[in-house]
Amino acid sequence: MTLQRTFTIIKPDAVKKNATGDIIKQFQDNGFRILAIKMLEISKHQAEQFYAVHASRPFFNSLTDFMSSGPIVVLALEKENAIADLRKLMGATNPANAEEGTIRKKWATNIEFNAIHGSDGEDTARFELSYFFAGYELAK
Ligand code: GDP
């Protein structure tokens, strides 16, 4: 298996809980190499662009309000099988169903305020990485 890149967001709820350090440590302990990292706040409009695939879902307005409600930390990560392995480390969308040892089990509050985003496929990873990072910002 060749190296793969994925994209993740430590969401506003987790940043507010001071979970940032713990979550970054979990990435590193699980073999992910950090290619880029930054903390920023996004606007409602930027959240709508980022989550455009969910535009027709009933929770779209609430989700984009949440994602623009405070600082987030975005990272580009690399490892073998990074996309699937990150999804596994994150745990289920609804923390009530998340396995022991996952980031959402530890830090998520509910199905919406669920601490972390991770790309769900190669195409989304490419789109999401390029939405937040320019090529020159990624480590060699
Ligand atoms: P993910 O890939 O595990 O993040 O889940 P999805 O792609 O299905 O949903 C994107 C995000 O929308 C989730 O991480 C939640 O923050 C939010 N979300 C998903 N499903 C629901 C829901 O049923 N209700 C609410 N309020 N938010 C949801």
Side-chain angles (χ1 to χ4, degrees):
M1 179 88 195
T2 52
L3 285 176
Q4 192 178 49
R5 290 174 177 183
T6 193
F7 172 78
T8 184
I9 303 178
I10 303 172
K11 294 185 178 184
D13 59 326
V15 173
K16 282 195 189 87
K17 289 180 182 174
N18 285 332
T20 304
D22 177 73
I23 292 172
I24 291 171
K25 184 167 184 332
Q26 292 200 49
F27 294 151
Q28 294 184 314
D29 288 350
N30 284 277
F32 293 90
R33 185 163 79 97
I34 296 170
L35 299 183
I37 178 168
K38 59 190 169 191
M39 177 179 259
L40 73 163
E41 284 192 47
I42 57 173
S43 67
K44 171 88 171 166
H45 173 70
Q46 287 168 325
E48 287 167 354
Q49 285 183 318
F50 180 77
Y51 277 115
V53 290
H54 291 314
S56 61
R57 308 279 282 274
F59 54 82
F60 184 66
N61 188 48
S62 171
L63 173 62
T64 52
D65 274 347
F66 165 51
M67 292 302 291
S68 57
S69 68
I72 59 173
V73 177
V74 297
L75 299 96
L77 299 175
E78 184 178 75
K79 81 184 282 292
E80 287 185 3
N81 206 29
I83 295 171
D85 285 0
L86 177 65
R87 298 287 304 183
K88 200 165 171 206
L89 179 61
M90 286 162 56
T93 307
N94 185 345
N97 305 324
E99 279 181 46
E100 214 53 62
T102 62
I103 291 170
R104 281 172 166 163
K105 179 76 180 180
K106 184 168 186 182
W107 290 110
T109 301
N110 57 42
I111 193 170
E112 180 162 45
F113 303 149
N114 61 4
I116 182 166
H117 167 85
S119 306
D120 63 4
E122 286 185 23
D123 289 347
T124 30
R126 247 189 306 277
F127 165 75
E128 293 176 357
L129 284 166
S130 68
Y131 191 79
F132 281 99
F133 295 107
Y136 75 86
E137 294 179 287
L138 303 181
K140 283 202 203 102

